[in-house]
Protein backbone atom coordinates (compact mmCIF):
# COMPACT_ATOMS: atom_id res chain seq x y z
CA UNK A 1 0.00 0.00 0.00
CA UNK A 2 1.26 3.50 -0.85
CA UNK A 3 0.88 5.95 2.03
CA UNK A 4 0.93 9.66 1.24
CA UNK A 5 2.71 11.68 3.92
CA UNK A 6 1.41 15.23 4.26
CA UNK A 7 2.87 18.21 6.10
CA UNK A 8 1.17 18.45 9.51
CA UNK A 9 0.14 21.85 10.85
CA UNK A 10 2.76 23.17 13.34
CA UNK A 11 0.32 25.82 14.57
CA UNK A 12 -2.85 27.72 13.76
CA UNK A 13 -1.19 30.70 12.10
CA UNK A 14 1.29 28.69 10.01
CA UNK A 15 0.23 28.04 6.41
CA UNK A 16 3.47 26.78 4.87
CA UNK A 17 6.81 25.27 5.81
CA UNK A 18 10.17 24.80 4.13
CA UNK A 19 11.98 21.48 3.72
CA UNK A 20 15.24 22.30 5.50
CA UNK A 21 16.94 18.88 5.35
CA UNK A 22 15.97 15.39 4.27
CA UNK A 23 17.37 12.93 6.80
CA UNK A 24 16.82 9.97 4.43
CA UNK A 25 17.44 9.32 0.74
CA UNK A 26 14.99 8.41 -1.99
CA UNK A 27 14.42 4.64 -1.88
CA UNK A 28 15.55 4.19 1.76
CA UNK A 29 13.67 1.88 4.10
CA UNK A 30 12.31 3.84 7.09
CA UNK A 31 10.84 2.71 10.39
CA UNK A 32 7.60 4.08 11.84
CA UNK A 33 8.19 7.31 13.80
CA UNK A 34 11.74 7.63 12.40
CA UNK A 35 12.69 11.28 11.74
CA UNK A 36 12.82 11.63 7.97
CA UNK A 37 13.12 15.42 7.55
CA UNK A 38 13.62 18.72 9.32
CA UNK A 39 11.10 21.38 8.30
CA UNK A 40 11.33 25.09 9.01
CA UNK A 41 8.31 27.17 9.87
CA UNK A 42 8.47 30.87 10.60
CA UNK A 43 8.57 30.06 14.30
CA UNK A 44 10.60 26.88 14.76
CA UNK A 45 12.41 23.96 13.16
CA UNK A 46 10.53 20.68 13.62
CA UNK A 47 11.26 17.06 12.81
CA UNK A 48 8.90 15.17 10.50
CA UNK A 49 8.42 11.54 11.64
CA UNK A 50 7.53 8.69 9.32
CA UNK A 51 3.89 7.65 9.71
CA UNK A 52 4.60 4.02 8.78
CA UNK A 53 7.46 1.66 7.97
CA UNK A 54 8.39 1.05 4.35
CA UNK A 55 10.28 2.28 1.30
CA UNK A 56 10.21 6.06 0.95
CA UNK A 57 9.89 8.10 -2.24
CA UNK A 58 10.60 11.82 -1.85
CA UNK A 59 8.25 14.28 -3.53
CA UNK A 60 9.91 17.55 -2.53
CA UNK A 61 13.44 18.91 -2.67
CA UNK A 62 15.45 20.53 0.11
CA UNK A 63 14.68 24.25 0.14
CA UNK A 64 11.18 23.79 -1.29
CA UNK A 65 8.37 25.76 0.35
CA UNK A 66 5.30 23.55 0.70
CA UNK A 67 1.83 24.28 2.02
CA UNK A 68 0.56 22.66 5.20
CA UNK A 69 -1.32 19.53 4.09
CA UNK A 70 0.74 19.05 0.92
CA UNK A 71 2.21 15.62 0.09
CA UNK A 72 5.99 15.57 0.59
CA UNK A 73 6.70 11.85 0.22
CA UNK A 74 5.21 8.40 -0.37
CA UNK A 75 5.86 5.37 1.80
CA UNK A 76 5.38 1.90 0.28
CA UNK A 77 4.31 -0.06 3.34
CA UNK A 78 4.74 -3.36 1.44
CA UNK A 79 8.45 -2.69 0.94
CA UNK A 80 10.84 -4.61 3.16
CA UNK A 81 14.31 -3.60 4.30
CA UNK A 82 15.96 -6.95 3.60
CA UNK A 83 14.13 -7.38 0.31
CA UNK A 84 15.16 -3.99 -0.92
CA UNK A 85 18.77 -4.60 -0.01
CA UNK A 86 18.76 -8.08 -1.57
CA UNK A 87 17.17 -6.77 -4.76
CA UNK A 88 19.79 -4.05 -5.07
CA UNK A 89 22.58 -6.55 -4.48
CA UNK A 90 21.13 -8.97 -7.01
CA UNK A 91 20.91 -6.27 -9.66
CA UNK A 92 24.51 -5.32 -8.99
CA UNK A 93 25.69 -8.93 -9.30
CA UNK A 94 23.67 -9.48 -12.48
CA UNK A 95 25.54 -6.77 -14.33
CA UNK A 96 28.06 -8.28 -16.79
CA UNK A 97 31.64 -7.58 -15.88
CA UNK A 98 33.18 -4.99 -18.11
CA UNK A 99 36.02 -6.28 -20.25
CA UNK A 100 39.34 -4.84 -19.20
CA UNK A 101 40.47 -2.08 -21.49
CA UNK A 102 44.11 -1.53 -22.27
CA UNK A 103 45.36 1.62 -20.66
CA UNK A 104 46.21 4.23 -23.24
CA UNK A 105 48.23 7.15 -22.10
CA UNK A 106 47.27 10.33 -23.85
CA UNK A 107 49.55 13.26 -23.79
CA UNK A 108 47.71 16.45 -23.02
CA UNK A 109 47.89 18.92 -25.88
CA UNK A 110 50.14 21.81 -25.11
CA UNK A 111 48.68 25.24 -25.58
CA UNK A 112 50.67 27.24 -28.05
CA UNK A 113 51.96 30.36 -26.37
CA UNK A 114 51.30 33.58 -28.23
CA UNK A 115 54.64 34.96 -29.41
CA UNK A 116 55.64 38.14 -27.67
CA UNK A 117 56.31 41.11 -29.90
CA UNK A 118 57.43 44.68 -29.43
CA UNK A 119 53.75 45.64 -29.18
CA UNK A 120 52.94 43.30 -26.26
CA UNK A 121 51.84 45.40 -23.23
CA UNK A 122 52.69 48.56 -25.12
CA UNK A 123 49.90 51.13 -24.73
CA UNK A 124 48.79 53.48 -27.41
CA UNK A 125 49.33 57.18 -26.58
CA UNK A 126 45.67 57.61 -25.59
CA UNK A 127 45.78 54.42 -23.52
CA UNK A 128 49.00 55.50 -21.78
CA UNK A 129 47.41 58.78 -20.69
CA UNK A 130 44.42 56.96 -19.19
CA UNK A 131 46.65 54.42 -17.42
CA UNK A 132 48.79 57.21 -15.97
CA UNK A 133 45.66 58.92 -14.62
CA UNK A 134 44.58 55.65 -13.01
CA UNK A 135 48.10 54.96 -11.74
CA UNK A 136 48.10 51.55 -13.44
CA UNK A 137 51.23 49.97 -14.86
CA UNK A 138 50.96 48.77 -18.50
CA UNK A 139 52.33 45.36 -17.42
CA UNK A 140 49.21 44.90 -15.30
CA UNK A 141 46.91 45.16 -18.33
CA UNK A 142 46.30 42.52 -20.99
CA UNK A 143 46.19 44.18 -24.39
CA UNK A 144 43.61 43.09 -26.96
CA UNK A 145 45.03 45.04 -29.87
CA UNK A 146 47.21 43.72 -32.65
CA UNK A 147 50.27 41.97 -31.28
CA UNK A 148 49.03 42.47 -27.68
CA UNK A 149 49.00 46.26 -27.86
CA UNK A 150 46.95 47.99 -25.12
CA UNK A 151 44.11 49.92 -26.70
CA UNK A 152 42.16 52.88 -25.35
CA UNK A 153 39.26 50.55 -24.50
CA UNK A 154 41.64 48.26 -22.58
CA UNK A 155 42.82 51.23 -20.54
CA UNK A 156 39.27 52.46 -19.95
CA UNK A 157 38.22 49.02 -18.64
CA UNK A 158 41.33 48.49 -16.51
CA UNK A 159 40.73 48.42 -12.75
CA UNK A 160 43.42 49.44 -10.26
CA UNK A 161 44.81 46.54 -8.25
CA UNK A 162 43.40 46.26 -4.72
CA UNK A 163 46.64 44.80 -3.45
CA UNK A 164 49.25 42.22 -4.23
CA UNK A 165 47.64 38.81 -4.88
CA UNK A 166 48.79 36.27 -2.32
CA UNK A 167 47.40 33.13 -3.86
CA UNK A 168 45.03 32.64 -0.91
CA UNK A 169 41.44 31.43 -1.17
CA UNK A 170 39.07 34.20 -2.29
CA UNK A 171 35.97 32.08 -2.80
CA UNK A 172 32.45 32.75 -1.55
CA UNK A 173 29.23 30.81 -1.37
CA UNK A 174 25.57 31.74 -1.36
CA UNK A 175 23.00 29.85 0.74
CA UNK A 176 19.32 30.45 1.22
CA UNK A 177 18.23 31.72 4.62
CA UNK A 178 15.99 29.33 6.52
CA UNK A 179 12.34 30.27 6.91
CA UNK A 180 12.95 30.76 10.63
CA UNK A 181 15.89 33.12 10.00
CA UNK A 182 13.89 35.06 7.40
CA UNK A 183 11.01 35.45 9.85
CA UNK A 184 13.34 36.58 12.64
CA UNK A 185 14.85 39.16 10.28
CA UNK A 186 11.38 40.35 9.28
CA UNK A 187 10.27 40.71 12.89
CA UNK A 188 13.45 42.57 13.91
CA UNK A 189 13.08 45.08 11.07
CA UNK A 190 9.40 45.51 11.94
CA UNK A 191 10.31 46.15 15.58
CA UNK A 192 12.72 48.90 14.54
CA UNK A 193 10.33 50.46 12.02
CA UNK A 194 6.97 50.11 13.75
CA UNK A 195 7.76 50.93 17.39
CA UNK A 196 9.04 54.05 19.12
CA UNK A 197 11.95 52.11 20.60
CA UNK A 198 14.17 53.74 23.17
CA UNK A 199 16.84 52.25 25.46
CA UNK A 200 17.77 53.22 29.01
CA UNK A 201 20.84 51.90 30.85
CA UNK A 202 22.02 51.22 34.37
CA UNK A 203 24.69 49.18 36.13
CA UNK A 204 24.43 46.49 38.77
CA UNK A 205 26.90 45.53 41.48
CA UNK A 206 26.86 41.72 41.34
CA UNK A 207 28.72 41.22 44.64
CA UNK A 208 25.59 40.39 46.75
CA UNK A 209 24.43 37.74 44.23
CA UNK A 210 27.93 36.26 44.00
CA UNK A 211 28.10 35.97 47.80
CA UNK A 212 24.83 34.00 47.87
CA UNK A 213 25.79 31.81 44.90
CA UNK A 214 29.24 31.02 46.33
CA UNK A 215 27.72 30.06 49.69
CA UNK A 216 24.82 27.93 48.47
CA UNK A 217 25.48 26.76 44.87
CA UNK A 218 27.01 23.41 45.93
CA UNK A 219 24.18 22.65 48.35
CA UNK A 220 21.62 23.78 45.74
CA UNK A 221 23.14 21.47 43.13
CA UNK A 222 23.24 18.52 45.52
CA UNK A 223 19.68 19.06 46.74
CA UNK A 224 18.09 19.59 43.32
CA UNK A 225 19.59 16.81 41.24
CA UNK A 226 22.53 18.61 39.67
CA UNK A 227 20.62 21.81 38.89
CA UNK A 228 22.90 24.85 38.85
CA UNK A 229 22.16 28.10 40.66
CA UNK A 230 22.79 30.61 37.88
CA UNK A 231 22.21 34.31 37.35
CA UNK A 232 19.04 33.80 35.30
CA UNK A 233 16.89 32.86 38.29
CA UNK A 234 17.92 36.06 40.12
CA UNK A 235 17.24 38.19 37.03
CA UNK A 236 13.92 36.50 36.32
CA UNK A 237 12.75 37.00 39.91
CA UNK A 238 13.93 40.64 39.83
CA UNK A 239 12.10 41.24 36.54
CA UNK A 240 8.80 39.73 37.69
CA UNK A 241 8.93 41.86 40.84
CA UNK A 242 9.59 44.99 38.77
CA UNK A 243 6.80 44.13 36.29
CA UNK A 244 4.34 43.99 39.15
CA UNK A 245 5.54 47.39 40.37
CA UNK A 246 5.38 48.90 36.86
CA UNK A 247 2.56 47.10 35.01
CA UNK A 248 2.82 49.33 31.91
CA UNK A 249 6.05 47.50 31.04
CA UNK A 250 4.01 44.28 31.09
CA UNK A 251 1.55 45.66 28.52
CA UNK A 252 1.14 45.62 24.74
CA UNK A 253 -0.47 47.77 22.07
CA UNK A 254 -3.21 46.21 19.93
CA UNK A 255 -4.44 48.80 17.46
CA UNK A 256 -5.78 51.67 19.53
CA UNK A 257 -6.04 49.59 22.70
CA UNK A 258 -3.63 48.66 25.48
CA UNK A 259 -3.59 45.08 26.76
CA UNK A 260 -2.27 44.68 30.31
CA UNK A 261 -1.44 41.31 31.84
CA UNK A 262 -1.69 40.22 35.45
CA UNK A 263 0.78 37.39 34.86
CA UNK A 264 4.45 37.37 33.83
CA UNK A 265 5.31 35.05 30.94
CA UNK A 266 9.03 35.68 30.49
CA UNK A 267 10.57 34.98 27.09
CA UNK A 268 14.21 33.93 27.40
CA UNK A 269 16.39 34.41 24.32
CA UNK A 270 18.63 31.37 23.77
CA UNK A 271 20.97 30.46 20.93
CA UNK A 272 20.15 27.17 19.19
CA UNK A 273 21.66 25.32 16.22
CA UNK A 274 19.08 26.95 13.94
CA UNK A 275 19.56 30.46 15.30
CA UNK A 276 17.88 32.59 17.93
CA UNK A 277 15.05 30.92 19.85
CA UNK A 278 12.84 32.66 22.42
CA UNK A 279 11.00 30.05 24.52
CA UNK A 280 8.67 31.24 27.26
CA UNK A 281 8.77 30.60 31.01
CA UNK A 282 5.07 30.63 31.93
CA UNK A 283 3.82 32.36 35.10
CA UNK A 284 7.38 33.07 36.19
CA UNK A 285 6.06 35.21 39.05
CA UNK A 286 4.88 32.02 40.80
CA UNK A 287 8.10 30.01 40.34
CA UNK A 288 10.77 29.52 42.96
CA UNK A 289 14.49 29.85 42.21
CA UNK A 290 14.59 26.11 41.64
CA UNK A 291 11.53 26.29 39.41
CA UNK A 292 13.01 29.03 37.23
CA UNK A 293 16.36 27.24 36.84
CA UNK A 294 14.67 23.93 36.02
CA UNK A 295 12.36 25.45 33.40
CA UNK A 296 15.11 27.46 31.70
CA UNK A 297 17.32 24.36 31.58
CA UNK A 298 14.49 22.29 30.08
CA UNK A 299 13.78 24.87 27.39
CA UNK A 300 17.47 25.40 26.60
CA UNK A 301 17.98 21.65 26.10
CA UNK A 302 14.96 21.47 23.79
CA UNK A 303 16.31 24.41 21.76
CA UNK A 304 19.78 22.87 21.57
CA UNK A 305 18.40 19.50 20.46
CA UNK A 306 16.08 21.05 17.88
CA UNK A 307 12.97 19.89 19.76
CA UNK A 308 11.54 23.32 20.55
CA UNK A 309 7.92 23.71 19.42
CA UNK A 310 5.75 26.63 18.39
CA UNK A 311 3.83 26.33 21.66
CA UNK A 312 7.10 26.72 23.60
CA UNK A 313 7.69 30.10 21.93
CA UNK A 314 4.15 31.43 21.63
CA UNK A 315 3.17 34.33 23.85
CA UNK A 316 5.44 35.98 26.36
CA UNK A 317 4.85 39.37 27.95
CA UNK A 318 8.49 40.45 28.46
CA UNK A 319 11.90 39.20 27.24
CA UNK A 320 15.29 38.74 28.90
CA UNK A 321 18.33 38.48 26.60
CA UNK A 322 21.77 37.55 27.95
CA UNK A 323 24.44 38.75 25.56
CA UNK A 324 26.98 38.53 28.36
CA UNK A 325 27.54 34.83 27.76
CA UNK A 326 29.12 35.81 24.42
CA UNK A 327 31.21 38.61 25.94
CA UNK A 328 29.02 41.62 25.17
CA UNK A 329 29.78 44.60 27.42
CA UNK A 330 26.88 46.81 26.30
CA UNK A 331 24.12 46.67 23.71
CA UNK A 332 20.69 48.01 22.80
CA UNK A 333 18.48 44.90 22.55
CA UNK A 334 15.62 44.96 20.04
CA UNK A 335 12.06 44.54 21.32
CA UNK A 336 10.44 41.16 20.68
CA UNK A 337 7.08 42.23 19.14
CA UNK A 338 4.30 42.51 20.15
CA UNK A 339 5.92 42.91 23.57
CA UNK A 340 6.79 46.36 24.79
CA UNK A 341 10.05 45.73 26.65
CA UNK A 342 13.24 43.66 26.71
CA UNK A 343 16.02 43.54 29.30
CA UNK A 344 19.58 43.04 28.07
CA UNK A 345 22.14 41.42 30.38
CA UNK A 346 25.87 41.78 29.68
CA UNK A 347 29.18 40.41 30.82
CA UNK A 348 30.48 40.94 34.35
CA UNK A 349 33.72 42.90 34.66
CA UNK A 350 35.53 43.92 37.81
CA UNK A 351 35.68 47.72 37.92
CA UNK A 352 36.54 50.35 40.53
CA UNK A 353 33.47 52.07 41.96
CA UNK A 354 32.88 54.49 44.82
CA UNK A 355 31.40 52.82 47.94
CA UNK A 356 30.78 55.05 50.99
CA UNK A 357 33.41 57.50 49.80
CA UNK A 358 35.99 54.76 49.17
CA UNK A 359 37.16 53.25 45.88
CA UNK A 360 36.51 49.50 45.78
CA UNK A 361 36.76 46.82 43.08
CA UNK A 362 33.46 45.02 42.41
CA UNK A 363 32.05 42.74 39.70
CA UNK A 364 29.81 45.07 37.68
CA UNK A 365 27.27 44.45 34.92
CA UNK A 366 25.65 46.96 32.59
CA UNK A 367 21.94 46.33 32.01
CA UNK A 368 19.82 47.83 29.25
CA UNK A 369 16.05 48.17 28.92
CA UNK A 370 14.68 48.74 25.42
CA UNK A 371 11.04 49.76 25.50
CA UNK A 372 8.23 51.00 23.27
CA UNK A 373 7.82 54.68 24.12
CA UNK A 374 4.29 54.66 22.65
CA UNK A 375 3.04 52.79 25.71
CA UNK A 376 5.81 53.15 28.32
CA UNK A 377 6.81 56.59 29.54
CA UNK A 378 10.26 57.55 30.76
CA UNK A 379 9.20 57.44 34.41
CA UNK A 380 8.00 53.85 34.15
CA UNK A 381 10.99 52.66 32.11
CA UNK A 382 13.60 54.21 34.38
CA UNK A 383 11.68 53.18 37.50
CA UNK A 384 11.43 49.61 36.21
CA UNK A 385 15.17 49.34 35.57
CA UNK A 386 16.00 50.89 38.94
CA UNK A 387 13.68 48.34 40.60
CA UNK A 388 15.56 45.53 38.82
CA UNK A 389 18.88 47.01 39.99
CA UNK A 390 17.65 47.35 43.59
CA UNK A 391 16.48 43.74 43.73
CA UNK A 392 19.73 42.40 42.27
CA UNK A 393 21.85 44.45 44.68
CA UNK A 394 19.73 43.39 47.67
CA UNK A 395 18.49 39.91 46.72
CA UNK A 396 18.34 38.57 50.26
CA UNK A 397 15.72 41.10 51.37
CA UNK A 398 13.84 41.83 48.14
CA UNK A 399 13.87 38.40 46.44
CA UNK A 400 14.29 35.93 49.33
CA UNK A 401 12.35 37.51 52.18
CA UNK A 402 15.48 37.50 54.31
CA UNK A 403 15.92 33.68 54.26
CA UNK A 404 18.20 32.38 51.49
CA UNK A 405 17.94 28.73 52.56
CA UNK A 406 14.15 28.75 52.49
CA UNK A 407 14.05 30.58 49.14
CA UNK A 408 16.46 28.08 47.63
CA UNK A 409 14.51 25.16 49.20
CA UNK A 410 17.57 23.85 51.04
Amino acid sequence: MILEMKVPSPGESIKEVEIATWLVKDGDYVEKDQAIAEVDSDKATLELPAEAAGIITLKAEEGDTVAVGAVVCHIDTDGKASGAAASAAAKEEAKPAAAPQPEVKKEAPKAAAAPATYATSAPSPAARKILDEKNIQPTDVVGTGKGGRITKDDAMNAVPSMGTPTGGNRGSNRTKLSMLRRKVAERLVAAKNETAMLTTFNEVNMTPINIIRNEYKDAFKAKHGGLGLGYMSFFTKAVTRALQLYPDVNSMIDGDQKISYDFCDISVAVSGPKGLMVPVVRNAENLTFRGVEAEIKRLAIRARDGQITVDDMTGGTFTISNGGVFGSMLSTPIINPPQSGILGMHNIIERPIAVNGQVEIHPMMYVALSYDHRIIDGRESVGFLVAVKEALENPLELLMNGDAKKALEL
Side-chain angles (χ1 to χ4, degrees):
M1 183 181 76
I2 302 298
L3 173 68
E4 292 184 338
M5 269 201 60
K6 300 179 180 179
V7 178
S9 175
E12 287 185 17
S13 61
I14 298 175
K15 304 300 181 185
E16 61 183 16
V17 298
E18 186 176 280
I19 305 297
T21 307
W22 281 111
L23 305 177
V24 296
K25 298 189 294 294
D26 200 39
D28 281 356
Y29 180 84
V30 298
E31 298 286 352
K32 188 178 187 302
D33 295 327
Q34 175 186 342
I36 60 173
E38 289 182 350
V39 295
D40 281 342
S41 72
D42 59 9
K43 293 185 178 179
T45 297
L46 308 171
E47 286 188 345
L48 186 65
E51 296 177 4
I55 304 298
I56 192 167
T57 303
L58 308 184
K59 295 296 182 182
E61 300 289 337
E62 289 186 0
D64 284 357
T65 299
V66 292
V68 170
V71 176
V72 290
C73 65
H74 289 166
I75 297 179
D76 182 0
T77 58
D78 295 327
K80 302 296 181 184
S82 57
S87 174
K91 287 181 180 179
E92 190 66 28
E93 290 176 4
K95 289 182 180 178
Q101 298 292 327
E103 184 177 352
V104 179
K105 292 185 179 179
K106 293 185 179 180
E107 194 171 324
K110 294 181 179 178
T117 70
Y118 73 92
T120 302
S121 296
S124 67
R128 178 178 293 281
K129 182 179 180 182
I130 295 171
L131 293 178
D132 289 343
E133 290 174 352
K134 290 184 174 183
N135 197 25
I136 298 176
Q137 295 299 319
T139 53
D140 293 335
V141 182
V142 177
T144 61
K146 186 176 181 180
R149 181 179 291 276
I150 299 173
T151 67
K152 181 180 179 181
D153 286 342
D154 294 333
M156 293 288 290
N157 295 328
V159 179
S161 173
M162 292 183 294
T164 303
T166 61
N169 182 16
R170 292 175 57 80
S172 62
N173 68 312
R174 183 186 296 265
T175 56
K176 185 178 181 181
L177 293 175
S178 68
M179 184 177 286
L180 176 61
R181 175 57 66 183
R182 297 198 302 269
K183 188 64 177 179
V184 168
E186 179 185 317
R187 286 168 61 85
L188 292 177
V189 171
K192 291 285 287 184
N193 293 339
E194 298 173 9
T195 65
M197 196 176 81
L198 196 62
T199 305
T200 184
F201 304 93
N202 215 314
E203 62 180 359
V204 176
N205 185 346
M206 301 295 289
T207 297
I209 290 178
N210 285 347
I211 291 173
I212 294 174
R213 290 183 69 241
N214 291 337
E215 183 175 354
Y216 296 109
K217 64 182 180 181
D218 292 338
F220 187 87
K221 189 173 185 178
K223 177 69 180 293
H224 302 302
L227 198 61
L229 179 59
Y231 292 113
M232 282 303 298
S233 53
F234 288 91
F235 273 81
T236 302
K237 298 290 285 182
V239 163
T240 57
R241 172 181 176 272
L243 288 175
Q244 291 168 335
L245 293 174
Y246 296 92
D248 278 351
V249 185
N250 202 38
S251 302
M252 301 179 189
I253 287 182
D254 184 14
D256 59 355
Q257 296 183 329
K258 179 175 80 170
I259 304 175
S260 299
Y261 300 94
D262 57 4
F263 56 87
C264 301
D265 281 358
I266 306 300
S267 303
V268 180
V270 297
S271 180
K274 297 294 183 179
L276 181 69
M277 304 284 183
V278 195
V280 181
V281 178
R282 311 286 177 185
N283 285 105
E285 76 279 6
N286 297 330
L287 295 178
T288 62
F289 281 84
R290 181 192 62 80
V292 172
E293 294 289 355
E295 183 64 3
I296 290 177
K297 181 179 180 180
R298 182 186 73 85
L299 293 170
I301 290 174
R302 288 176 65 81
R304 182 196 66 195
D305 295 344
Q307 297 177 344
I308 207 80
T309 67
V310 175
D311 289 340
D312 290 327
M313 297 190 292
T314 300
T317 61
F318 186 87
T319 296
I320 300 176
S321 177
N322 185 6
V325 296
F326 304 111
S328 171
M329 184 187 78
L330 192 63
S331 68
T332 55
I334 298 179
I335 296 170
N336 180 22
Q339 297 173 17
S340 299
I342 178 172
L343 179 74
M345 300 167 56
H346 301 91
N347 61 355
I348 301 171
I349 298 177
E350 289 195 340
R351 291 192 284 111
I353 62 171
V355 179
N356 298 324
Q358 301 293 323
V359 176
E360 298 181 6
I361 305 296
H362 284 273
M364 304 296 295
M365 177 194 286
Y366 289 118
V367 289
L369 173 70
S370 291
Y371 61 98
D372 190 345
H373 211 342
R374 297 177 301 167
I375 192 171
I376 303 171
D377 292 331
R379 185 183 72 85
E380 281 74 22
S381 62
V382 173
F384 172 88
L385 197 56
V386 169
V388 170
K389 170 184 170 69
E390 290 173 345
L392 294 173
E393 292 186 339
N394 189 10
L396 186 61
E397 297 300 325
L398 299 181
L399 301 180
M400 296 177 162
N401 294 321
D403 191 339
K405 285 189 175 181
K406 184 176 180 180
L408 298 175
E409 302 174 66
L410 299 178

